[in-house]
Amino acid sequence: MTRSMARQVVLHVHLAEAALTDLDPNACGGVDLARVEKTRSFVLAEQVREWCRATSTQVVVKPVIDLRDQVAVDAYEIPDRIAERVRLTRPTCVFPHCTRPARGCDLDHGDEYVPPDPNHPCDGGPPGQTSTMNLAPLCRRHHRVKTHPSLSGTGPERRWRYRRLPDGSFVWTSPHDQQYLVDPHGTVPLSA
């Protein structure tokens, strides 16, 4: 099989402390090393070695990014370096119960973007509004649900809204004031 016809595997390498200190691949069932693009699961170092040995697989390794870095810019447009961090941190849409991959999602400003006013700096939005801490992946459908008011609803807001918690999870409030906690493990209703 020629290289141009090879199956392509895109790896995002994640180096945990255990990957650097535990050199025994059999300890604790192996060390999670990488996440394969368009999946939510991690693969072991042994699987990566097998792909690299196979002539039928083209392995693309993406650069290691420290996802703890907080990156911000003073523009509405989202640079690739920020979009990549957000999508790697949250690999799926963050709307309650949604599992669409973040690669196909819009990136939403959690706090609405307010353009800066160059003539009156105190009247415009603050610097750094487009940041890894103020963006979340939302599939197109849920981005629209969040952005556009509903025709029904009982609370002061007639649309879905969310706030990001310090641990990276999200609390969503529906137009009917029902709340949901969304974290990497799924969705939990908070109100009865």
Side-chain angles (χ1 to χ4, degrees):
M1 181 176 271
T2 65
R3 250 342 204 186
S4 62
M5 296 179 66
R7 175 178 75 133
Q8 186 180 69
V9 176
V10 179
L11 297 177
H12 296 274
V13 178
H14 297 267
L15 294 177
E17 185 66 28
L20 299 173
T21 58
D22 187 358
L23 300 178
D24 180 3
N26 298 316
C28 300
V31 176
D32 288 341
L33 175 70
R35 186 175 52 77
V36 179
E37 188 166 80
K38 299 182 182 171
T39 70
R40 292 175 22 195
S41 61
F42 286 85
V43 295
L44 300 175
E46 183 54 37
Q47 177 65 58
V48 174
R49 280 192 284 280
E50 286 178 29
W51 284 329
C52 289
R53 289 183 196 127
T55 59
S56 61
T57 305
Q58 177 190 16
V59 178
V60 177
V61 179
K62 295 289 188 169
V64 176
I65 299 172
D66 187 347
L67 299 178
R68 296 171 297 182
D69 284 349
Q70 295 181 21
V71 182
V73 294
D74 298 335
Y76 179 77
E77 292 77 21
I78 303 164
D80 291 343
R81 71 182 190 278
I82 292 178
E84 185 71 5
R85 280 177 170 81
V86 171
R87 289 183 172 120
L88 289 172
T89 302
R90 292 307 304 242
T92 61
C93 173
V94 299
F95 193 84
H97 302 290
C98 189
T99 58
R100 290 188 183 231
R103 290 263 171 234
C105 289
D106 299 335
L107 294 180
D108 178 65
H109 286 83
D111 295 324
E112 186 176 344
Y113 183 84
V114 178
D117 185 342
N119 299 321
H120 301 94
C122 294
D123 293 336
Q129 295 177 74
T130 298
S131 72
T132 52
M133 296 305 294
N134 190 37
L135 294 169
L138 288 175
C139 67
R140 182 61 50 93
R141 176 175 180 233
H142 292 134
H143 196 183
R144 288 180 177 154
V145 164
K146 184 253 179 192
T147 304
H148 302 290
S150 73
L151 298 175
S152 64
T154 58
E157 292 282 342
R158 293 168 53 103
R159 62 183 177 90
W160 283 86
R161 59 203 183 279
Y162 67 87
R163 63 186 166 87
R164 182 184 178 132
L165 301 178
D167 68 357
S169 58
F170 297 84
V171 174
W172 280 86
T173 305
S174 78
H176 300 283
D177 290 328
Q178 295 172 315
Q179 291 192 319
Y180 302 88
L181 175 67
V182 179
D183 66 19
H185 305 290
T187 302
V188 177
L190 296 177
S191 44

